[in-house]
PDB file of all heavy atoms in Angstrom:
ATOM      1  N   SER A 171     -15.483   1.922   1.173  1.00 83.00           N
ATOM      2  CA  SER A 171     -14.415   0.941   1.432  1.00 83.00           C
ATOM      3  C   SER A 171     -13.425   1.509   2.456  1.00 83.00           C
ATOM      4  O   SER A 171     -13.348   2.709   2.625  1.00 83.00           O
ATOM      5  CB  SER A 171     -13.690   0.618   0.120  1.00 83.00           C
ATOM      6  OG  SER A 171     -13.089   1.771  -0.407  1.00 83.00           O
ATOM      7  N   ALA A 198      -4.860 -12.305   2.062  1.00 91.00           N
ATOM      8  CA  ALA A 198      -6.231 -12.701   2.460  1.00 91.00           C
ATOM      9  C   ALA A 198      -7.053 -11.450   2.700  1.00 91.00           C
ATOM     10  O   ALA A 198      -8.238 -11.362   2.345  1.00 91.00           O
ATOM     11  CB  ALA A 198      -6.154 -13.655   3.681  1.00 91.00           C
ATOM     12  N   PHE A 249      -0.597  -1.861  -6.404  1.00 97.00           N
ATOM     13  CA  PHE A 249       0.676  -2.498  -6.080  1.00 97.00           C
ATOM     14  C   PHE A 249       1.757  -1.699  -6.778  1.00 97.00           C
ATOM     15  O   PHE A 249       1.791  -1.685  -8.026  1.00 97.00           O
ATOM     16  CB  PHE A 249       0.678  -3.942  -6.516  1.00 97.00           C
ATOM     17  CG  PHE A 249       1.922  -4.747  -6.135  1.00 97.00           C
ATOM     18  CD1 PHE A 249       2.444  -4.685  -4.877  1.00 97.00           C
ATOM     19  CD2 PHE A 249       2.484  -5.598  -7.071  1.00 97.00           C
ATOM     20  CE1 PHE A 249       3.596  -5.375  -4.504  1.00 97.00           C
ATOM     21  CE2 PHE A 249       3.618  -6.331  -6.747  1.00 97.00           C
ATOM     22  CZ  PHE A 249       4.183  -6.243  -5.448  1.00 97.00           C
ATOM     23  N   PHE A 316      -1.852   8.554   0.681  1.00 96.00           N
ATOM     24  CA  PHE A 316      -3.024   7.897   0.212  1.00 96.00           C
ATOM     25  C   PHE A 316      -4.152   7.876   1.244  1.00 96.00           C
ATOM     26  O   PHE A 316      -5.115   7.131   1.095  1.00 96.00           O
ATOM     27  CB  PHE A 316      -2.728   6.524  -0.328  1.00 96.00           C
ATOM     28  CG  PHE A 316      -1.732   6.556  -1.465  1.00 96.00           C
ATOM     29  CD1 PHE A 316      -0.388   6.198  -1.255  1.00 96.00           C
ATOM     30  CD2 PHE A 316      -2.094   6.987  -2.705  1.00 96.00           C
ATOM     31  CE1 PHE A 316       0.508   6.250  -2.299  1.00 96.00           C
ATOM     32  CE2 PHE A 316      -1.172   7.054  -3.766  1.00 96.00           C
ATOM     33  CZ  PHE A 316       0.126   6.684  -3.511  1.00 96.00           C
ATOM     34  N   ALA A 318      -4.599   6.396   4.178  1.00 95.00           N
ATOM     35  CA  ALA A 318      -4.960   5.075   4.591  1.00 95.00           C
ATOM     36  C   ALA A 318      -5.771   5.141   5.889  1.00 95.00           C
ATOM     37  O   ALA A 318      -5.361   5.852   6.775  1.00 95.00           O
ATOM     38  CB  ALA A 318      -3.765   4.202   4.729  1.00 95.00           C
ATOM     39  N   ASP A 326       6.298  -3.324  17.167  1.00 77.00           N
ATOM     40  CA  ASP A 326       7.470  -2.445  17.198  1.00 77.00           C
ATOM     41  C   ASP A 326       7.238  -1.232  16.330  1.00 77.00           C
ATOM     42  O   ASP A 326       8.056  -0.288  16.389  1.00 77.00           O
ATOM     43  CB  ASP A 326       8.701  -3.191  16.772  1.00 77.00           C
ATOM     44  CG  ASP A 326       8.588  -3.754  15.351  1.00 77.00           C
ATOM     45  OD1 ASP A 326       7.467  -4.048  14.933  1.00 77.00           O
ATOM     46  OD2 ASP A 326       9.634  -3.901  14.656  1.00 77.00           O
ATOM     47  N   LEU A 354      -6.462  10.509   9.915  1.00 95.00           N
ATOM     48  CA  LEU A 354      -5.583  10.005  10.938  1.00 95.00           C
ATOM     49  C   LEU A 354      -5.603   8.491  10.927  1.00 95.00           C
ATOM     50  O   LEU A 354      -6.679   7.852  11.148  1.00 95.00           O
ATOM     51  CB  LEU A 354      -6.025  10.465  12.343  1.00 95.00           C
ATOM     52  CG  LEU A 354      -6.176  12.002  12.502  1.00 95.00           C
ATOM     53  CD1 LEU A 354      -6.427  12.340  14.017  1.00 95.00           C
ATOM     54  CD2 LEU A 354      -4.924  12.710  12.010  1.00 95.00           C
ATOM     55  N   ARG A 508       0.373  25.610 -15.555  1.00 46.00           N
ATOM     56  CA  ARG A 508      -0.318  24.323 -15.418  1.00 46.00           C
ATOM     57  C   ARG A 508       0.631  23.228 -15.009  1.00 46.00           C
ATOM     58  O   ARG A 508       1.762  23.114 -15.548  1.00 46.00           O
ATOM     59  CB  ARG A 508      -0.923  23.972 -16.796  1.00 46.00           C
ATOM     60  CG  ARG A 508      -1.877  22.782 -16.814  1.00 46.00           C
ATOM     61  CD  ARG A 508      -2.495  22.678 -18.180  1.00 46.00           C
ATOM     62  NE  ARG A 508      -3.187  23.890 -18.510  1.00 46.00           N
ATOM     63  CZ  ARG A 508      -3.330  24.278 -19.782  1.00 46.00           C
ATOM     64  NH1 ARG A 508      -2.787  23.607 -20.766  1.00 46.00           N
ATOM     65  NH2 ARG A 508      -4.020  25.406 -20.031  1.00 46.00           N
ATOM     66  N   ALA A 559     -27.516  19.020 -26.031  1.00 81.00           N
ATOM     67  CA  ALA A 559     -26.355  18.232 -25.541  1.00 81.00           C
ATOM     68  C   ALA A 559     -25.082  18.775 -26.116  1.00 81.00           C
ATOM     69  O   ALA A 559     -24.015  18.765 -25.429  1.00 81.00           O
ATOM     70  CB  ALA A 559     -26.574  16.752 -25.911  1.00 81.00           C
ATOM     71  N   ALA A 594     -22.988  15.506 -13.786  1.00 93.00           N
ATOM     72  CA  ALA A 594     -22.576  14.795 -12.582  1.00 93.00           C
ATOM     73  C   ALA A 594     -21.451  13.853 -12.901  1.00 93.00           C
ATOM     74  O   ALA A 594     -21.363  13.354 -14.020  1.00 93.00           O
ATOM     75  CB  ALA A 594     -23.740  14.095 -11.924  1.00 93.00           C
ATOM     76  N   GLU A 605     -11.857  14.310  -4.337  1.00 84.00           N
ATOM     77  CA  GLU A 605     -11.112  15.552  -4.457  1.00 84.00           C
ATOM     78  C   GLU A 605     -10.095  15.437  -5.609  1.00 84.00           C
ATOM     79  O   GLU A 605      -9.840  16.470  -6.339  1.00 84.00           O
ATOM     80  CB  GLU A 605     -10.347  15.877  -3.164  1.00 84.00           C
ATOM     81  CG  GLU A 605     -11.297  16.150  -1.964  1.00 84.00           C
ATOM     82  CD  GLU A 605     -12.291  17.276  -2.206  1.00 84.00           C
ATOM     83  OE1 GLU A 605     -11.825  18.330  -2.738  1.00 84.00           O
ATOM     84  OE2 GLU A 605     -13.479  17.079  -1.981  1.00 84.00           O
TER      85      GLU A 605
END
Side-chain angles (χ1 to χ4, degrees):
S171 61
F249 185 45
F316 300 104
D326 60 332
L354 304 189
R508 191 175 301 150
E605 295 305 312

